[in-house]
Amino acid sequence: MSGETKPEFIRFTGHRGFTQRLVLSTLTGRPIHITQIRSSSATHPGLAPHEISFLRLLEAVTNGSAIDISVTGTKIAYQPGLITGTVAGAGSAGDVINFTLPDTITRGVTYFLLPLALLAPFSKAHMNVRFSGPGVITAATHATGDISVDTFRTAALPLYGLFGIPPARIELRVLARSCAGPRGKGGGGVVELRFASQVRLPKTLHLNRRPGRIRRIRGVAYCTGVSASHNNRMITAARGVLNQLVSDVHVAAQYDPAPLVGDDKGPKRKLGIGFGLGLVAESTADGVIFAADEVAPPEGGVVPEDIGTRCAYQLLEVIAQGGCVSAASSATVLTLMAMGSEDVGRLRLGRQVVGREETIGLARDLKAFGASSWGIRDVDDDEDDTGDLLISVKGTGVGNIGRKVA
């Protein structure tokens, strides 16, 4: 008989936080078992197409992972392997893993990019993945709330520099743009992430300073398959709101033709027609970035001026929430803090960001994987009446196991 003991599974229920739990399982090396995945749904029980695609992505960038899905798709057992990154074979062509998304995907490509970027610093080799196929949506999504690739590049990736992960070695290439197709499904874009900043252990973060004042606003207005004048109309509407508050406002315009989607046997069709706007506000304090996204719904019925105005006011609401990190990037920062060196890091967040269901769920999931509980207290500053909270996170010292083995 073998003397090896079977690993103990960490058990979860429901589909919320699906990618978050799989990422934590992969980083810590602890297997998980998830049940009751949309078990009460009469029409679409079990795993959704984007969740199945994410499991395939995990299988492509790891070695030794074991995934067991029940017949109904409502139960899954996942045993993580080693994060290898881009290696010869395993679907890679040269130094890039080609990953295809089907046209049934309703989530933006950032649904895959955000967790993939969390795994990349702990990879044994460089993490180079190209997303293509009829399911790649590079724009923000109206129904699911995913951010655009422009916001991911300008607001999420620079935060890795706070942990000693050089952003200069991280590159996101948008080779073809696409908005969500009919009923929010499908896209046709092409995005390539090249993550060459692998570290043994992220640095301890102390981002508890005042958020400072907004010094400039940048952004990207994009449209695919519609008139290029939509960009100018969105930019003019957004500047009409923001120029009253900040003088340094610059929004770039990006026009792309609608991508052609189809196989070689039949005729191809245009997909992913739409337009949207992404704005990023940079503060006078280092590392403090706020972002907002707005996109036209797939069914249409919205003029570009409304998109520009909504995005501008949404950015102002995000800034008003306070803190040093916005809600879109808080999960990334808090996860890297928990995976870092065994020291206490501090992060200043707004009350609304801490009170979100996603933030509370992340704290519970980290606790289930053996991390310490967070310390939460009010900011001690007599001259500060923002009501921000100071989050203390103790690192687990997991680090890059692949680099240790190498």
Side-chain angles (χ1 to χ4, degrees):
M1 294 181 62
S2 175
E4 298 181 357
T5 59
K6 293 184 178 181
E8 182 179 353
F9 283 80
I10 303 176
R11 302 187 178 276
F12 299 100
T13 58
H15 67 280
R16 296 188 180 276
F18 183 77
T19 59
Q20 175 178 286
R21 290 165 177 172
L22 289 173
V23 167
L24 292 178
S25 173
T26 307
L27 292 177
T28 59
R30 302 187 63 180
I32 60 174
H33 187 263
I34 306 176
T35 58
Q36 300 180 20
I37 303 175
R38 299 183 183 87
S39 56
S40 59
S41 176
T43 56
H44 299 90
L47 294 171
H50 55 269
E51 295 168 342
I52 297 175
S53 296
F54 183 72
L55 290 173
R56 291 175 45 240
L57 178 62
L58 277 182
E59 190 177 16
V61 300
T62 60
N63 183 23
S65 298
I67 304 172
D68 187 12
I69 305 175
S70 65
V71 178
T72 58
T74 57
K75 299 179 182 179
I76 176 177
Y78 173 68
Q79 296 190 33
L82 183 66
I83 308 173
T84 55
T86 304
V87 294
S92 62
D95 63 339
V96 178
I97 297 176
N98 292 314
F99 191 77
T100 304
L101 296 177
D103 57 0
T104 55
I105 300 293
T106 58
R107 303 297 299 263
V109 72
T110 51
Y111 173 84
F112 305 93
L113 289 174
L114 283 170
L116 183 64
L118 272 176
L119 296 175
F122 305 92
S123 174
K124 187 176 182 180
H126 295 177
M127 186 77 74
N128 303 329
V129 181
R130 177 182 297 167
F131 294 89
S132 60
V136 179
I137 305 172
T138 63
T141 54
H142 192 267
T144 56
D146 296 315
I147 63 176
S148 66
V149 291
D150 301 293
T151 301
F152 172 74
R153 179 180 57 206
T154 56
L157 290 182
L159 297 176
Y160 284 83
L162 302 175
F163 297 91
I165 305 171
R169 303 191 64 189
I170 307 173
E171 183 182 4
L172 183 68
R173 301 176 181 176
V174 184
L175 306 179
R177 291 180 179 270
S178 175
C179 296
R183 297 182 300 277
K185 293 184 179 180
V190 180
V191 178
E192 183 176 320
L193 175 66
R194 289 183 169 269
F195 205 114
S197 295
Q198 280 68 43
V199 295
R200 289 185 179 271
L201 201 65
K203 294 181 179 179
T204 303
L205 176 65
H206 295 283
L207 195 59
N208 54 353
R209 65 179 74 94
R210 290 186 180 182
R213 293 182 176 273
I214 302 301
R215 60 187 177 95
R216 66 180 184 180
I217 295 177
R218 297 291 182 264
V220 176
Y222 52 88
C223 61
T224 56
V226 296
S227 174
S229 63
H230 285 51
N231 287 334
N232 296 330
R233 295 166 64 183
M234 287 187 292
I235 293 172
T236 302
R239 289 179 66 95
V241 177
L242 298 175
N243 276 134
Q244 304 177 43
L245 307 171
V246 182
S247 60
D248 189 0
V249 179
H250 178 73
V251 182
Q254 180 70 40
Y255 170 77
D256 287 88
L260 294 174
V261 177
D263 52 18
D264 298 334
K265 299 180 180 179
K268 295 186 178 181
R269 59 191 178 95
K270 290 185 177 181
L271 189 66
I273 299 174
F275 54 92
L277 176 65
L279 295 174
V280 175
E282 300 179 11
S283 170
T284 53
D286 293 336
V288 180
I289 302 175
F290 303 98
D293 267 302
E294 191 65 37
V295 66
E299 60 272 12
V302 180
V303 296
E305 287 80 4
D306 289 345
I307 298 298
T309 305
R310 289 179 191 174
C311 190
Y313 282 120
Q314 183 182 345
L315 179 64
L316 297 180
E317 290 180 1
V318 172
I319 297 173
Q321 290 178 359
C324 294
V325 177
S326 62
S329 307
S330 59
T332 299
V333 175
L334 290 169
T335 302
L336 288 174
M337 292 176 67
M339 296 297 113
S341 58
E342 297 183 27
D343 195 2
V344 178
R346 293 173 177 84
L347 176 65
R348 180 169 177 165
L349 291 177
R351 286 184 178 271
Q352 296 184 33
V353 178
V354 178
R356 295 172 68 245
E357 182 181 354
E358 293 80 1
T359 307
I360 302 300
L362 174 61
R364 292 172 176 170
D365 290 345
L366 287 172
K367 180 69 173 178
F369 281 96
S372 302
S373 300
W374 296 349
I376 303 177
R377 62 180 177 85
D378 293 326
V379 174
D380 295 333
D381 194 341
D382 296 336
E383 300 179 359
D384 195 337
D385 57 352
T386 58
D388 291 347
L389 298 175
L390 197 61
I391 313 297
S392 300
V393 182
K394 185 178 183 298
T396 57
V398 172
N400 193 329
I401 300 176
R403 292 253 161 172
K404 294 177 182 178
V405 173

